[in-house]
Structures are given as C-alpha cells and as structure tokens.
Amino acid sequence: MAMLGASAAPQASLRSERPSLVVGIVVEGLNEDYLNLLHDKFSNGGFKRLMGSALVVEQLDYGTFLDPAAATAMLYTGAAPSVNGIAGAQRFDMVRQRGRSILADSTQLGNFTSEALSPAPILVSTLTDELKIDGNGATHAYAIASDAQQAVIMAGHAGNGAYWIDDVTGQWATTTYYGDAPQAVSQRNYRTPLSMRLDTLTWRPSLGSMDQYPDLPQTRLPQPFNYTFPKKDVNRYKSFKVSAKGNEEVTSLASELLYYQMLGQHQGVDMLSLAYSVAPYPYSISSDNRAETMDAYIKLDKDLERLFQAIDSKPGAERTLIFVAGLPARTASRVDDPQWRVPTGQFSSRKAKSLLNMYLIALHGNGEWVSGYHNLNFYLNRNLINSRKLDLQTIRSEAAEFLNRMSGVSNAYTIDDVLAARVGPDPQALRRNTSVANSGDVMIEVNPGWEAVDDLTGGPTYLSRDSHSALPLFILAPNIAAERISIPLDVRQVAPTVARLLRIRSPNAASLPALRR
C-alpha cells in the first residue's frame, strides 16, 4: 500500500484515483499504552505497520462509556446514540421482563441461529450504506464479527451480508435480511465447522515464558495459562468468541471472503468490516489477567499481519484504504481477591426494585410502581402513574432520591435530568449518548469496586470500575502521510473522514466535519 511522503500536498488524495477496497476494523479495548508497551513483541507486518505508516490519532473521544455495539454504531454513522438509536447491545423488553438484542426483528429469520435480527433499529444511514448507494448496488460490502450486533451494525441497511458466531451452535450465522450466501461462509459451516474443531483449539501463551511479558511483577509471575473449550462447558462458544482464538476465526473467514468474493476487484469501492477484541478476558482464571490481555495483543498482531498479507496478494492492493479504531472495553468481570481488603459490595436489582416499590407505595398507595429493571435502569409503571393522575417527572425524582440513599449507589438521576443536561461530568455528552426510546425512567451509577448483580432477570453482573484509556485510530491509505495527532478526535468525525477519502457522501446524520489531512 503506497504511502505519501510528508512533503506531499495535503489535497493530493482528492486528485488521485480513489480506493477500490476499504477495510474497516474495530477493536474492543485497543489501547495506545499497550501498543507502545508491546511494540518490540510485534511483527513488522501487523501493528508496527500501522504505527509506522498510518495516520495515527492517539485518542478517540466517545463522550461517555459505550458498549461495543453502541460504539461501533457511533463510529459507522457519525452520529451519537440519541440520533442513531443504538445506545447498547440490548434493550429492555417490558413484556418478557428481560433484555433482548437492540436489533431484534420478528419479521426476519436467522440462518444457522435462532436470533432474528435486522439493521432496521439503526435510524440513520451508515458508512456502508453510503458506499453501496454510491456504487448503485454493484459494489460488495460484508461484515464479520464474533458478536451479532456488531456484524449487523457494520453491514448496515444496504450491505450484502453480516456474519457472526452463534452462541449455541458455533456456526457462522446471519439473518434473512441479507440475501448473500458466500461460498466462504458455507464452506466453513459445512466442511470445517467450529463444533468439529473446538475441542482441539487451545489458547496458550505466545511467548516462551511468562517473564517475557513486560511489566508483570517478578514477585508474582503467573503460571502459563491454558484455556480450552470442552464440550461439557455450556458456555464454550461464548468464551471462545471473546478469546484471542475468536479473533483468529474472524481473520480466517475474512481472508477467505477476500479471495472468493474478489473484493476490491469490482467496479466501484468494495468494503469489508471486521470486529476484534483485546478486552480483558472475562473467563480468566484470575482477576489479574494482564498476561492474557498482552497475549491477545500479540496474537491479534499476527492476525493483522495475515489479513494484510491477504490484501496485499490481491490485484489492486495499492488502492486499499484501511482504518482501525479502538472501542471502549467492557469492565472487568470479577472483584479483587478478598485478601487485599479493597472495599466492595453487591447491589441487588431484586432488592432495590422491591424497596423502591415499597417506598412509592408509602407515598402514593398500593400498586406495582416499578415495572422493571435492566442494565442499571429502572422502569416505572406509567399506566399506573397516569391512572392515579400523578406527575411522571415528580415520581421519577422521588425514585431517584430514594435510590441515591441506597448502599452502593454513587448517583441516581432521571431521564429528565439527562435531557436537561443537569448530570454527569460531561452533561452534553451524556445527553447525546442517551437514547430516550431505550432508556429507563431512572438510571443509577454503582460505587467503583461494587458489583451490580441482576438477580431479577438473570442478566449479566456489572462490575463498576472507573478507567480511561487512549483509544487510537489508524488510517492507512494511498496518499495519506504517516503522522501522529495527539489532540483527541470526536469519534463522530471518523465516518465523514473515511467518506471524504472515498469521495462519497457522509452518513446522513454525521453532523461533524471530516478530519482534513
């Protein structure tokens, strides 16, 4: 992939032939500090290639914490969740009283999965959509991820296909919303299914000994880890998907799709979108999983090298644009060992809902005042509130005031507070990153170190831990000079920037200008 020298004119990219292939890569947990720490452990063809030859933005600014699905949507639409409609991977189903996929669509069917999804809940156009519109449908656009939500979001409304690993069968799944059935996908499902190989796959350290991993205390070097995915483990596919081995599976399918679909060799601009993760491994044997995290980086470096080699081997490789963006990592999954006596506790959603309901009964009479709880959000019974002719905002304020006094709650605020930009360290960012249609009436924050246990609906346990990491962006493209930008970049500028380099329209809700280099 040819690089432009630093002395070239800034507008050269607008005069040159535009790319024939764009490869968009999102990486959950990608951290500039880890990239610098492990630089000497990387090959020349993976992260080092990006760090040395690409335009590097050291810090992407998402405004507030977003999960991988919401962060991916923000990146691909150039719009915040309040506009694009995707505030997280799940939304609360009031009828079933539990979370379900934000992209759930009963009008569709799943292929090799029971999940029925579509991009319909994405309320605006995506970068992929605009690329397909520009090519009048003749271009090819595919998305591959371990996670279903990320795959569909990256494929967008107009993409040819979105593929993910099913939690139950381990097969590459998709939705009937997309019509394409590429040979690469069917071959992996029928000839080399993951279910036939998973018993033989093991995640072991890439380096010869544990003391080769930098910055691990010599006083407590961990034993070499050895993660397997046996048939007796009901979570074997879930744990595989978020491991370094899951990244390898994504890369293998991507390389085959590049070959069989001849991406980058059609008229117009083709697109391939991939999602990886180097976030702390939630199934690790210890709460200190730095060794696993570093090994995930080293293995992903090899995957990127393999992917880049597959791209370079294709005709027209010099006309490829690659962007790699870090996504916020989900929080750690377990508390520190009790021997360290770090303050902790458990916030029970069942107990909180019950106590809040009794408090509102004492104020306003008998009734089921709290309809549900999901992901730190409490949902009030609006029908009951209306039937009693009470003011909804007043009831919300009363609920927030009560929850603020509960053990383990550091802050409770109403959706009205959010919309009025009255709460949070960055009230405007919290407002734009909140989707009213998918939010509760009252939201809470849990004390750092505490677990928010969803013992009401069986949802995941949330461990609160405040952390800030440098999430980088790399753009590797013809006629783009290697340069480092240390000023934080609003993530909503990424899609317009890539669109400008491709010379297509920005997504229709992208409100910020492109980065001009």
Side-chain angles (χ1 to χ4, degrees), residues 347 373-378 442-446 452 462:
F347 175 86
Y373 166 91
H374 175 66
N375 194 27
L376 306 181
N377 283 246
F378 287 86
V442 181
M443 290 140 273
I444 64 167
E445 296 172 359
V446 178
Y462 172 85

Side-chain angles (χ1 to χ4, degrees), residues 293-304:
T293 299
M294 284 188 278
D295 195 71
Y297 274 83
I298 294 169
K299 282 184 164 57
L300 180 56
D301 175 67
K302 296 294 186 184
D303 285 321
L304 291 176

Side-chain angles (χ1 to χ4, degrees), residues 30-348:
L30 186 64
N31 188 319
E32 178 83 357
D33 294 334
Y34 267 115
L35 291 177
N36 293 329
L37 176 67
L38 297 169
H39 184 272
D40 293 341
K41 308 295 182 183
F42 294 146
S43 64
N44 290 326
F47 281 124
K48 280 186 179 179
R49 182 173 182 176
L50 295 172
M51 296 169 78
S53 301
L55 168 67
V56 182
V57 176
E58 296 179 357
Q59 174 69 66
L60 286 175
D61 181 11
Y62 286 86
T64 64
F65 174 80
L66 297 173
D67 73 12
T72 301
M74 196 170 182
L75 190 81
Y76 269 67
T77 63
S82 61
V83 177
N84 67 39
I86 308 299
Q90 291 193 328
R91 63 177 178 83
F92 183 62
D93 186 325
M94 195 71 72
V95 176
R96 299 183 182 181
Q97 285 290 298
R98 64 183 62 251
R100 64 182 306 185
S101 172
I102 189 74
L103 302 176
D105 187 343
S106 60
T107 67
Q108 304 297 324
L109 296 174
N111 281 338
F112 298 102
T113 180
S114 60
E115 291 187 277
L117 310 177
S118 88
I122 308 172
L123 302 179
V124 298
S125 75
T126 70
L127 188 63
T128 309
D129 295 338
E130 297 296 340
L131 194 68
K132 290 287 291 184
I133 293 170
D134 176 78
N136 197 29
T139 56
H140 297 67
Y142 297 96
I144 304 172
S146 292
D147 176 73
Q149 281 67 228
Q150 283 184 283
V152 173
I153 289 167
M154 292 188 298
H157 305 88
N160 295 78
Y163 309 100
W164 65 88
I165 300 174
D166 184 67
D167 285 345
V168 178
T169 66
Q171 291 186 298
W172 282 103
T174 187
T175 163
T176 53
Y177 177 91
Y178 301 107
D180 278 24
Q183 181 181 357
V185 178
S186 59
Q187 281 191 349
R188 292 197 75 80
N189 276 343
Y190 289 113
R191 296 185 183 180
T192 58
L194 187 59
S195 59
M196 298 292 290
R197 297 180 286 115
L198 196 52
D199 286 341
T200 66
L201 300 180
T202 303
W203 180 14
R204 298 188 180 94
S206 301
L207 303 182
S209 60
M210 300 308 291
D211 60 3
Q212 291 183 265
Y213 291 88
D215 283 10
L216 291 180
Q218 294 296 313
T219 55
R220 51 166 297 181
L221 281 177
Q223 293 295 315
F225 53 84
N226 184 45
Y227 295 108
T228 59
F229 311 95
K231 289 183 179 179
K232 63 181 180 181
D233 183 1
V234 295
N235 290 318
R236 64 196 301 239
Y237 295 118
K238 291 181 180 180
S239 59
F240 172 82
K241 285 168 54 169
V242 294
S243 74
K245 304 299 289 186
N247 290 336
E248 291 181 12
E249 196 74 7
V250 169
T251 305
S252 295
L253 180 57
S255 299
E256 293 169 9
L257 203 62
L258 279 165
Y259 175 78
Y260 285 112
Q261 299 304 114
M262 301 178 65
L263 297 182
Q265 300 175 59
H266 304 100
Q267 290 185 344
V269 185
D270 291 336
M271 186 169 190
L272 177 63
S273 297
L274 308 174
Y276 294 117
S277 176
V278 289
Y281 187 50
Y283 297 89
S284 62
I285 57 178
S286 169
S287 60
D288 184 355
N289 49 23
R290 284 176 290 177
E292 288 93 331
T293 299
M294 284 188 278
D295 195 71
Y297 274 83
I298 294 169
K299 282 184 164 57
L300 180 56
D301 175 67
K302 296 294 186 184
D303 285 321
L304 291 176
E305 182 179 45
R306 181 158 59 105
L307 176 68
F308 295 164
Q309 287 174 348
I311 294 170
D312 289 343
S313 67
K314 299 182 68 61
E318 71 281 355
R319 294 172 53 209
T320 299
L321 184 155
I322 298 173
F323 69 88
V324 180
L327 306 180
R330 285 163 284 199
T331 58
S333 58
R334 65 180 74 184
V335 298
D336 291 318
D337 193 290
Q339 67 173 313
W340 309 120
R341 294 181 289 188
V342 175
T344 186
Q346 285 191 340
F347 175 86
S348 165

Side-chain angles (χ1 to χ4, degrees), residues 319-397:
R319 294 172 53 209
T320 299
L321 184 155
I322 298 173
F323 69 88
V324 180
L327 306 180
R330 285 163 284 199
T331 58
S333 58
R334 65 180 74 184
V335 298
D336 291 318
D337 193 290
Q339 67 173 313
W340 309 120
R341 294 181 289 188
V342 175
T344 186
Q346 285 191 340
F347 175 86
S348 165
S349 61
R350 182 182 297 277
K351 178 181 177 181
K353 180 188 176 187
S354 177
L355 291 175
L356 175 59
N357 198 66
M358 287 191 292
Y359 174 72
L360 294 176
I361 286 175
L363 292 179
H364 303 290
N366 289 333
E368 191 67 27
W369 293 96
V370 186
S371 293
Y373 166 91
H374 175 66
N375 194 27
L376 306 181
N377 283 246
F378 287 86
Y379 297 79
L380 300 179
N381 188 338
R382 300 190 184 190
N383 290 332
L384 178 60
I385 293 170
N386 290 334
S387 68
R388 300 285 176 89
K389 295 182 170 54
L390 298 173
D391 180 62
L392 178 59
Q393 291 191 18
T394 300
I395 306 299
R396 286 170 173 163
S397 296

Side-chain angles (χ1 to χ4, degrees), residues 368-516:
E368 191 67 27
W369 293 96
V370 186
S371 293
Y373 166 91
H374 175 66
N375 194 27
L376 306 181
N377 283 246
F378 287 86
Y379 297 79
L380 300 179
N381 188 338
R382 300 190 184 190
N383 290 332
L384 178 60
I385 293 170
N386 290 334
S387 68
R388 300 285 176 89
K389 295 182 170 54
L390 298 173
D391 180 62
L392 178 59
Q393 291 191 18
T394 300
I395 306 299
R396 286 170 173 163
S397 296
E398 292 170 347
E401 181 182 359
F402 177 80
L403 291 170
N404 258 319
R405 297 198 295 266
M406 291 194 68
S407 296
V409 175
S410 59
N411 194 15
Y413 44 85
T414 70
I415 187 64
D416 307 298
D417 293 328
V418 173
L419 295 179
R422 292 192 291 257
V423 291
D426 187 342
Q428 292 298 334
L430 179 60
R431 178 179 178 178
R432 66 175 178 260
N433 282 2
T434 300
S435 170
V436 176
N438 297 306
S439 296
D441 293 282
V442 181
M443 290 140 273
I444 64 167
E445 296 172 359
V446 178
N447 289 340
W450 275 59
E451 292 179 297
V453 181
D454 189 353
D455 50 3
L456 190 63
T457 67
T461 295
Y462 172 85
L463 177 63
S464 177
R465 185 181 185 91
D466 289 337
S467 61
H468 303 277
S469 58
L471 304 169
L473 169 71
F474 301 92
I475 300 179
L476 186 64
N479 301 320
I480 295 296
E483 178 187 358
R484 294 190 73 87
I485 300 175
S486 58
I487 300 174
L489 179 73
D490 192 308
V491 73
R492 292 175 294 171
Q493 292 183 261
V494 175
T497 299
V498 175
R500 177 174 179 267
L501 294 172
L502 297 174
R503 299 207 289 278
I504 63 174
R505 300 183 310 184
S506 292
N508 61 13
S511 58
L512 295 182
L515 177 67
R516 304 189 74 84

